[in-house]
Amino acid sequence: MNKNDIPYKIYLSENEMPKDWYNVRADMKKKPAPLLNPKTHAALKYEDLRPVFCDELVKQELNDDDRLIPIPKAILDFYRMYRPSPLVRAYCLEKKLDTPAHIYYKFEGNNTSGSHKLNSAIAQAYYAKEQGLKGVTTETGAGQWGTALSMACAYFGIDCKVFMVKCSYEQKPFRREVMRTYGASVTPSPSMTTDIGKKINAEFPGTSGSLGCAISEAVECAAKSPGYRYVLGSVLNMVLLHQSIIGLETKSALDKYCIVPDIIIGCAGGGSNLGGLISPFMGEVLRGEKNYKFIAVEPASCPSFTRGKFVYDFCDTGHVCPLAKMYTLGSEFIPSASHAGGLRYHGMSPVLSELYDEGLLEARAVKQTSVFEAATEFARVEGILPAPESSHAIKVAIDEALKCKETGEAKNIVFGLTGTGYFDMKAYENFNDGKMSDYIPSDEDLKRGFDALPKF
């Protein structure tokens, strides 16, 4: 097919939107290891998880067998407000790079919450409403998940309590205000409103916080609030399930024009975006139908994949959550206050961790300044100001396109643009003023986290 036959934006109609989520675990020969009770180390069952999560979400979390999970009509109706999202051919970026590579990006920032997080937020709020709950609690890093969940809870008329990582709370006041506009309460974490928050503040005075800290506080808050459950925007199996709509739409759009991707790239913090983007393509690989190159991109300041250990670890800093087998830097590792708040998590999705450990997925860690250089280059030619998290994928997509320039290969490169960066202007200001620095933890820095890994 002539490249001129491929439009800048490939749109699906509303009728072409997926009606089912895809569960990649069904095609995995080696399933992700089960969640464990943090005290007894026994595998957690449905009845064990019910006090923390919504009933239907627990079923989805534990479902390793069903390949397709029907999307309820109420969620599909909401999706139609902003889905299907476009798959964009980056013609302008290709020209700027002078590369023979064909670059595509799936743009998830075309909704009010500004990111892909709404895909799971609306599902989790729906199941909470269906169960008759009063509200939910959660954590948020950069604020994209908190914004999306606040919007979803407002839509279904339930309460939302958000614990926002302190450095992001201070760096991104406008995203905080969007959450409050949707009716959510927003508390900087670690706070003095929970027992765990007080303990963390005492142990790490002046800490900028982490997703692990905020998770602990949100879980404690849910446990002490009758009629509430805890919901999570990444890492868990059910979140990757909901986000599979990204990859399903991407695959349908590519298939329309007989485009076969060579390389698929996503930023990786906990795994929601990357897992959602690659799931249906990974399914083809697992079934022996196709072969793709998958690249997870993480910050050098929080290198869970590239420098972490594949072991059971606590999902939170306060050690109240289940143990998950994942690539981790240790639950007591608190990352530097980088500007990619959504990627500042010590661990990685158990699903993605298993795939990475089997060699089905590559990982690269990139420095913050190089990420913003790529973000700036992208913004100047493609006209979208990308979120810092998304810009990690942009950085490696550009790297791969420049490799094609050297080799003369016209590879098809697909990456996930998770959202926009219009609430991240403090980060762009620091970069533009030359005040941004790169922090790479030393082996000694990582040792504290590794030393605190549970031993059993």
Side-chain angles (χ1 to χ4, degrees):
M1 177 176 290
N2 188 300
K3 82 168 194 174
N4 294 324
D5 293 333
I6 300 172
Y8 273 80
K9 292 184 178 67
I10 303 174
Y11 283 107
L12 302 176
S13 69
E14 288 183 13
N15 291 333
E16 293 175 296
M17 188 170 66
K19 304 298 190 297
D20 305 279
W21 291 305
Y22 167 67
N23 182 10
V24 72
R25 286 167 285 153
D27 287 316
M28 292 174 68
K29 294 180 177 62
K30 187 176 181 183
K31 310 296 185 185
L35 297 173
L36 301 184
N37 184 301
K39 294 180 180 178
T40 67
H41 301 160
L44 290 174
K45 299 178 181 178
Y46 173 74
E47 56 270 19
D48 301 316
L49 293 170
R50 283 194 66 204
V52 180
F53 301 108
C54 302
D55 292 353
E56 188 60 34
L57 294 172
V58 174
K59 293 176 184 177
Q60 292 178 0
E61 181 66 22
L62 300 177
N63 188 339
D64 285 345
D65 303 315
D66 294 324
R67 182 176 290 165
L68 298 177
I69 309 293
I71 304 173
K73 182 179 183 302
I75 298 175
L76 284 172
D77 289 344
F78 186 92
Y79 277 166
R80 288 190 180 93
M81 288 197 288
Y82 67 99
R83 304 208 71 86
S85 66
L87 179 69
V88 185
R89 173 72 181 269
Y91 282 114
C92 297
L93 181 61
E94 292 173 14
K95 183 178 180 181
K96 174 70 164 44
L97 298 175
D98 189 26
T99 176
H102 301 163
I103 306 173
Y104 300 85
Y105 58 91
K106 180 66 165 171
F107 182 46
E108 290 292 308
N110 59 338
N111 65 78
T112 306
S113 75
S115 80
H116 70 294
K117 294 289 187 178
L118 194 55
N119 301 328
S120 185
I122 195 63
Q124 296 194 52
Y126 165 79
Y127 290 121
K129 177 71 173 182
E130 285 293 289
Q131 194 172 324
L133 298 176
K134 179 180 178 182
V136 294
T137 70
T138 196
E139 79 295 325
T140 193
Q144 291 177 332
W145 167 248
T147 302
L149 186 65
S150 301
M151 181 179 180
C153 288
Y155 180 80
F156 284 117
I158 60 175
D159 190 32
C160 181
K161 300 180 187 294
V162 181
F163 288 85
M164 188 173 186
V165 176
K166 186 177 291 183
C167 69
S168 293
Y169 184 93
E170 295 167 350
Q171 290 171 353
K172 304 174 182 17
F174 297 134
R175 190 165 274 140
R176 177 186 73 215
E177 291 312 309
V178 174
M179 293 182 230
R180 294 179 63 202
T181 300
Y182 280 123
S185 65
V186 187
T187 304
S189 174
S191 73
M192 298 301 288
T193 64
T194 66
D195 294 337
I196 289 170
K198 293 173 186 175
K199 180 182 176 183
I200 293 172
N201 274 313
E203 189 172 351
F204 303 97
T207 179
S208 59
S210 71
L211 280 167
C213 298
I215 290 170
S216 297
E217 292 204 90
V219 171
E220 180 184 325
C221 181
K224 293 182 177 179
S225 304
Y228 283 74
R229 290 294 188 277
Y230 168 69
V231 295
L232 183 64
S234 191
V235 181
L236 293 178
N237 299 335
M238 59 185 164
V239 180
L240 270 64
L241 173 72
H242 303 152
Q243 295 295 358
S244 67
I245 194 167
I246 302 173
L248 291 166
E249 285 186 5
T250 301
K251 190 174 185 314
S252 294
L254 291 170
D255 288 347
K256 264 194 167 188
Y257 291 88
C258 302
I259 302 162
V260 179
D262 297 294
I263 306 170
I264 305 173
I265 304 166
C267 62
S272 65
N273 155 72
L274 176 70
L277 175 64
I278 72 173
S279 282
F281 300 97
M282 183 62 78
E284 291 182 302
V285 172
L286 293 167
R287 296 190 298 271
E289 299 167 1
K290 295 280 181 66
N291 189 28
Y292 305 105
K293 180 178 181 178
F294 302 102
I295 305 176
V297 191
E298 61 186 8
S301 60
C302 191
S304 306
F305 267 146
T306 53
R307 297 176 68 188
K309 296 184 178 182
F310 188 36
V311 294
Y312 268 105
D313 191 20
F314 291 98
C315 294
D316 64 316
T317 305
H319 297 179
V320 297
C321 288
L323 294 165
K325 189 177 183 184
M326 58 185 175
Y327 274 88
T328 177
L329 298 171
S331 61
E332 293 194 10
F333 174 77
I334 297 183
S336 66
S338 72
H339 290 288
L343 305 185
R344 294 176 71 250
Y345 183 59
H346 65 273
M348 194 63 66
S349 151
V351 169
L352 295 177
S353 293
E354 182 59 49
L355 295 171
Y356 180 66
D357 195 61
E358 292 181 34
L360 297 169
L361 178 68
E362 296 181 22
R364 295 184 195 170
V366 293
K367 296 179 181 178
Q368 183 172 228
T369 52
S370 68
V371 165
F372 276 84
E373 287 169 2
T376 301
E377 185 170 18
F378 180 86
R380 289 177 180 178
V381 294
E382 286 295 320
I384 297 173
L385 188 74
E389 293 79 10
S390 311
S391 302
H392 287 66
I394 295 172
K395 158 65 177 163
V396 171
I398 290 175
D399 288 347
E400 291 297 314
L402 292 176
K403 287 180 184 177
C404 289
K405 183 178 180 179
E406 293 176 1
T407 64
E409 296 173 283
K411 290 184 177 180
N412 291 320
I413 300 170
V414 178
F415 72 89
L417 182 50
T418 61
T420 55
Y422 297 104
F423 289 131
D424 300 284
M425 296 318 298
K426 186 64 180 176
Y428 278 95
E429 179 186 29
N430 286 350
F431 175 75
N432 292 330
D433 289 345
K435 296 178 180 178
M436 183 174 286
S437 60
D438 291 313
Y439 171 74
I440 300 177
S442 66
D443 290 342
E444 189 61 32
D445 293 331
L446 297 181
K447 186 175 183 297
R448 174 169 185 161
F450 292 149
D451 286 348
L453 289 170
K455 297 174 177 61
F456 58 93

